Amino acid sequence: MTRFTPAELEAARDRLVPDVVAGGLRVLFCGINPGLMTAATGHHFARPGNRFWPVLHLSGFTPRQLKPAEQAELLSYGLGITNVVARATARADELSAEEYREGGRLLAEKAVRLRPRWLAVVGVTAYRAAFGERGATVGPQERVFGDTRVWVLPNPSGLNAHWTAATMAEEFARLREAAEDEG
């Protein structure tokens, strides 16, 4: 993995990272916003401590653990990645409430346009902020966008220590099974 200096990472602040999307996906995963490592590399969930890629594999979504640089392969599995807020920051707490709300509005439009079976928001706090649902918990939600159902997953950041890779993989697998049952 490429090593970046603090100055190089800081230079990635506010950059946009292209979505990995197509119409009609089984699951469109949605992160909070790109971190500086993601923005510097152009690859989603690129920070070494992030557990998204290992959990995606452990849950059975992919036959092997993909590297962030292999993110385009997700499309061949009917999967994609986007974010609630597009701009890169060092930490999610740098985002404003308005950015979350506007991100939620744009995400809803994207879901209606792309029509994935499931929109999977990785991070219950981000979901609550984007859609004003303070009582939301991890799991399937009542909310739909057109034909797209919504599932909230635990945030795979290494900072979310009360979820282990194994318990996250169990929750991701529940979503995978729901997506397969509908297929």
Side-chain angles (χ1 to χ4, degrees):
M1 163 161 247
T2 305
R3 288 253 190 237
F4 293 95
T5 66
E8 289 170 323
L9 288 174
E10 188 56 36
R13 182 178 293 279
D14 297 326
R15 273 191 202 155
L16 305 181
V17 178
D19 290 342
V20 178
V21 296
L25 296 170
R26 282 189 309 141
V27 179
L28 177 57
F29 292 95
C30 181
I32 299 169
N33 77 307
L36 298 182
M37 180 71 73
T38 288
T41 63
H43 303 128
H44 293 271
F45 300 104
R47 188 174 183 85
N50 193 293
R51 299 170 292 178
F52 177 80
W53 298 103
V55 166
L56 200 64
H57 170 62
L58 288 171
S59 65
F61 271 112
T62 60
R64 65 178 179 84
Q65 184 176 320
L66 299 176
K67 296 177 178 74
E70 298 173 307
Q71 65 187 14
E73 286 186 38
L74 289 174
L75 296 175
S76 69
Y77 303 118
L79 308 173
I81 303 178
T82 190
N83 287 290
V84 174
V85 176
R87 82 176 176 96
T89 61
R91 297 178 325 275
D93 65 7
E94 296 175 43
L95 301 173
S96 70
E98 179 55 36
E99 284 178 291
Y100 275 110
R101 284 190 299 273
E102 177 64 5
R105 186 186 69 74
L106 295 172
L107 183 58
E109 289 176 2
K110 189 178 296 185
V112 168
R113 185 177 71 251
L114 295 174
R115 301 182 63 194
R117 270 188 242 150
W118 287 93
L119 174 67
V121 179
V122 292
V124 70
T125 302
Y127 178 79
R128 290 171 181 163
F131 299 106
E133 292 193 23
R134 287 194 266 232
T137 60
V138 168
Q141 306 300 305
E142 293 296 320
R143 179 180 295 271
V144 295
F145 301 113
D147 296 330
T148 301
R149 298 200 49 209
V150 179
W151 196 294
V152 174
L153 292 167
N155 186 333
S157 164
L159 299 175
N160 189 8
H162 67 277
W163 282 87
T164 66
T167 56
M168 271 192 276
E170 289 172 8
E171 189 61 32
F172 275 58
R174 286 182 58 218
L175 168 59
R176 180 185 49 76
E177 290 164 5
E180 286 173 354
D181 288 347
E182 293 176 358

